[in-house]
Amino acid sequence: MTYEADAARYERQPYNRSGRSGLKLPAVSLGLWHNFGDDRPLENSRAILRRAFDLGVTHFDLANNYGVPYGSAERTFGRIFRQDFSAYRDELVISTKAGYDMWPGPYGEWGSRKYLLASLDQSLGRMGLEYVDVFYSHRPDPDTPLEETMGALDRAVRSGKALYAGISNYSAEQTAQAARIMRELGTPLLIHQPSYSMINRWIEGGLLDTLEEAGMGCIVYSPLAQGLLTDRYLKGVPADSRAATSRFLSEKQIDVELARSLDELARGRGQSLAQMALSWTLRDPRVTSVLIGASSVRQLEDNVACVDGPAFTEDELKAIDEITGPRAAAGR
């Protein structure tokens, strides 16, 4: 059946300008880190992407190594894009990244010009695109001069294979240096993608100030702390949960009492815990967008509804700080 986007899609959520650029991003963006690889049913991935766009989610965020196996999330997205979204290309912001392990040998990760530009070509091939809207350096490389890494991003934009350049997981100091280099090259950095949540506030220790000064946007990932800030662990650790099955989260990281206390506060606001956690990350105007993942359409809809929540009161913000306590210290 031919997909036709919902005519009311742009009435569903706000769009925020990324720093001092001309680009606006939806308050909620969809990340394809999990749930879009070859290990997941294609029709489920397709249903999530379709519903996301119908809800006004115009930004789909990928990376070269997303999916099981590596690259499969981009292939899945490319297949669905050809079927459903090619007519809407100019309404979409599609981003990808390179920096982590992708292929064997010395040229398959980190931040060299050779790796970044080769990876971008491969990503475009997997997705069947002529360009991406944002191309990121996924992490800083301690052994490659920052000038080389930023020069590769500048080249990606000047070649027309990316419209904007971004960075992810860079410290405040590294971000300031990268922004200076890119300004001198004539291709300002659009955005930074760091981790951020109620229990992981490291970006409040200087990065947000740096981004504001540099005129860059901020799109945060892991706002639900890999599921800790959802109702998934209110009764303990289910056998099929990420904490029990994934290398990215362990049972030792689960704090059931913290989750229950936050859930009680969320219910008093008329929200789920996940919705409150997402709303909280968007409370700072320097945060352009929040990245969510979704394993089902229902989960997607619940999370996107965070934009309908009430503004936080000072008492609520204070209560959240008291509940999260030491876990919310600025530092990864």
Side-chain angles (χ1 to χ4, degrees):
M1 183 176 178
T2 302
Y3 169 66
E4 184 174 341
D6 191 320
R9 59 191 177 278
Y10 293 116
E11 301 172 11
R12 303 276 169 72
Q13 65 171 303
Y15 296 84
N16 303 318
R17 192 172 302 279
S18 183
R20 291 194 291 268
S21 77
L23 184 68
K24 291 184 177 182
L25 295 177
V28 178
S29 298
L30 180 63
L32 279 67
W33 181 14
H34 301 292
N35 306 313
F36 291 86
D38 290 349
D39 59 334
R40 301 302 174 104
L42 178 64
E43 285 308 307
N44 187 59
S45 300
R46 188 182 192 189
I48 292 170
L49 287 168
R50 283 181 164 194
R51 185 58 178 150
F53 191 49
D54 284 344
L55 292 173
V57 176
T58 55
H59 179 208
F60 299 141
D61 180 80
L62 298 104
N64 57 357
N65 64 345
Y66 284 0
V68 179
Y70 288 169
S72 57
E74 289 183 328
R75 285 194 299 272
T76 294
F77 177 78
R79 183 174 176 181
I80 296 170
F81 174 84
R82 289 189 294 275
Q83 291 176 326
D84 297 329
F85 296 111
S86 58
Y88 301 100
R89 177 64 183 97
D90 292 336
E91 298 183 41
L92 296 175
V93 174
I94 302 168
S95 59
T96 196
K97 316 175 198 71
Y100 285 94
D101 172 55
M102 184 59 191
W103 63 81
Y107 317 121
E109 63 177 326
W110 293 108
S112 71
R113 183 182 182 92
K114 180 174 178 60
Y115 167 62
L116 291 176
L117 295 180
S119 179
L120 176 56
D121 284 341
Q122 292 181 21
S123 290
L124 293 174
R126 282 189 289 269
M127 292 187 284
L129 300 176
E130 294 182 358
Y131 69 93
V132 290
D133 295 272
V134 189
F135 182 52
Y136 288 87
S137 166
H138 207 166
R139 62 172 170 172
D141 184 344
D143 298 318
T144 297
L146 193 55
E147 290 80 3
E148 179 177 341
T149 301
M150 294 303 104
L153 294 182
D154 174 68
R155 176 58 182 167
V157 172
R158 291 184 184 277
S159 69
K161 295 177 181 179
L163 300 186
Y164 299 94
I167 55 176
S168 180
N169 299 307
Y170 280 57
S171 69
E173 181 180 3
Q174 291 165 332
T175 297
Q177 294 172 347
R180 174 186 55 78
I181 293 168
M182 292 296 279
R183 280 196 304 270
E184 292 173 353
L185 290 170
T187 304
L189 285 171
L190 171 79
I191 200 164
H192 188 297
Q193 187 175 134
S195 60
Y196 185 49
S197 72
M198 287 192 288
I199 58 175
N200 172 21
R201 303 191 189 184
W202 74 274
I203 68 173
E204 296 175 5
L207 180 61
L208 283 172
D209 292 336
T210 298
L211 296 178
E212 184 175 28
E213 182 177 347
M216 294 170 59
C218 179
I219 179 169
V220 300
Y221 72 88
S222 292
L224 302 180
Q226 298 293 308
L228 273 67
L229 298 176
T230 71
D231 62 5
R232 186 68 163 139
Y233 301 104
L234 295 180
K235 298 180 181 180
V237 181
D240 62 344
S241 67
R242 187 173 296 176
T245 62
S246 172
R247 64 186 176 91
F248 296 106
L249 184 67
S250 69
E251 292 191 32
K252 294 186 294 184
Q253 294 173 270
I254 303 302
D255 188 332
V256 175
E257 291 306 313
L258 178 144
R260 288 174 178 170
S261 297
L262 290 172
D263 182 66
E264 182 178 355
L265 180 59
R267 284 188 279 111
R269 287 171 45 83
Q271 291 183 300
S272 68
L273 173 53
Q275 288 169 344
M276 184 179 76
L278 295 170
S279 296
W280 182 91
T281 63
L282 289 166
R283 81 200 186 286
D284 191 317
R286 294 172 295 183
V287 175
T288 310
S289 182
V290 59
L291 273 169
I292 63 167
S295 59
S296 67
V297 169
R298 181 179 178 181
Q299 183 184 49
L300 171 80
E301 292 173 337
D302 181 73
N303 288 348
V304 172
C306 73
V307 300
D308 299 321
F312 286 94
T313 66
E314 289 300 320
D315 287 343
E316 288 171 337
L317 292 174
K318 182 179 179 181
I320 289 171
D321 290 346
E322 291 174 349
I323 293 169
T324 54
R327 292 200 65 163
R332 301 190 207 207

